[in-house]
Amino acid sequence: QVQLVQSGAEVKKPGASVKVSCKASGYTFREYGISWVRQAPGQGLEWMGWISAYSSATNYAQKFQGRVIMTTNPYTSTAYMELRSLRSDDTAVYYCARARREPTQNWFDPWGQGTLVHVSS
Amino acid sequence: NFILTQPPSVSESPGKTVTISCTRSSGSIASYYVQWFQKRPGSSPRPLIYEDNQRRSGVPDRFSGSVDTSSNSASLTISGLKTEDEAEYYCQSYDSTYHGVFGGGTKLTVL
């Protein structure tokens, strides 16, 4: 079955970077994209960006431009989301979701189990 | 950019029908597909509806999506409410630059 399995929880200090992985299985990785979404404690869902596993094209939310890098490794069917210059308000659960190969953000299915990133001094 | 506005909370009794609205602040609701997700604490978002009104495989037909161009809004309707439907529901769409936006979420209480 189609599945996305994310890396484990992380604790980081302010100013550090975190890299979350999302390993796909059950489908042809390069035929789709991966979108990243986060949810801070007590807050709603927030779209962070998208990467095409076919072309490696990316599209980042303005809020994260310059601070986020999304990549893929087609050989291991794994997508990565690296967030730099972490702040306390980056504390959140980060999700990956299978998306279209094209940048249209109209379909996220399925989702990974989520990765908690806690930023604290 | 644009905003998707959802009511913070709705409540209804088991067996009844509830509708959750999602109003787009700018840009035509008809021009950009809307998705709906169910979110329970501690679980990943569960896709319910994509492309405005397409039900994801395995989702009961009690869940339906629609779009109303006159109010520039989308709606998620849940009929025959069950206590297990109690959760937070999010709409999502995008803009001409393909940036995604989520609504603020609606907490559904089934009492």
Side-chain angles (χ1 to χ4, degrees):
Chain A
Q1 76 282 21
V2 176
Q3 198 174 6
L4 299 176
V5 177
Q6 298 182 222
S7 48
E10 303 260 15
V11 179
K12 295 292 183 181
K13 294 195 182 303
S17 298
V18 68
K19 192 169 186 176
V20 178
S21 68
C22 170
K23 183 170 176 57
S25 61
Y27 71 96
T28 303
F29 184 67
R30 293 196 67 182
E31 291 184 357
Y32 294 86
I34 295 286
S35 289
W36 289 88
V37 175
R38 75 178 187 179
Q39 184 174 35
Q43 303 299 308
L45 299 174
E46 181 175 30
W47 183 82
M48 298 182 68
W50 162 91
I51 181 167
S52 168
Y54 176 77
S55 65
S56 294
T58 55
N59 192 13
Y60 301 142
Q62 197 117 4
K63 176 177 179 176
F64 300 103
Q65 285 275 3
R67 215 161 59 94
V68 71
I69 299 176
M70 296 176 186
T71 56
T72 62
N73 182 335
Y75 301 103
T76 60
S77 298
T78 304
Y80 300 91
M81 188 283 299
E82 182 177 15
L83 189 60
R84 301 174 172 178
S85 303
L86 288 169
R87 306 185 288 254
S88 58
D89 62 359
D90 289 317
T91 293
V93 177
Y94 290 76
Y95 295 99
C96 62
R98 186 176 62 161
R100 303 282 188 204
R101 189 171 77 178
E102 304 78 24
T104 308
Q105 300 299 293
N106 66 345
W107 182 79
F108 302 157
D109 189 359
W111 293 56
Q113 83 275 20
T115 296
L116 174 64
V117 175
H118 186 77
V119 183
S120 173
S121 54
Chain B
N1 219 339
F2 69 98
I3 295 169
L4 294 172
T5 300
Q6 299 181 233
S9 63
V10 295
S11 62
E12 191 49 271
S13 303
K16 299 290 190 180
T17 296
V18 70
T19 297
I20 298 171
S21 62
C22 171
T23 302
R24 185 174 176 126
S25 62
S26 62
S28 172
I29 194 75
S31 298
Y32 306 96
Y33 285 126
V34 175
Q35 297 190 77
W36 288 92
F37 302 92
Q38 179 189 66
K39 178 75 170 65
R40 293 192 177 100
S43 295
S44 302
R46 173 194 179 199
L48 298 173
I49 302 289
Y50 66 99
E51 293 182 357
D52 297 342
N53 55 20
Q54 299 302 299
R55 199 177 305 111
R56 187 215 193 204
S57 175
V59 173
D61 60 8
R62 302 187 296 107
F63 293 84
S64 62
S66 62
V67 163
D68 179 3
T69 55
S70 66
S71 59
N72 213 38
S73 65
S75 294
L76 174 70
T77 298
I78 311 171
S79 60
L81 274 170
K82 301 183 177 185
T83 54
E84 69 203 47
D85 297 331
E86 197 161 283
E88 194 138 27
Y89 291 85
Y90 290 89
C91 61
Q92 180 270 329
S93 189
Y94 52 99
D95 61 19
S96 58
T97 61
Y98 302 116
H99 286 184
V101 172
F102 283 91
T106 298
K107 181 175 172 57
L108 170 62
T109 303
V110 182
L111 34 64

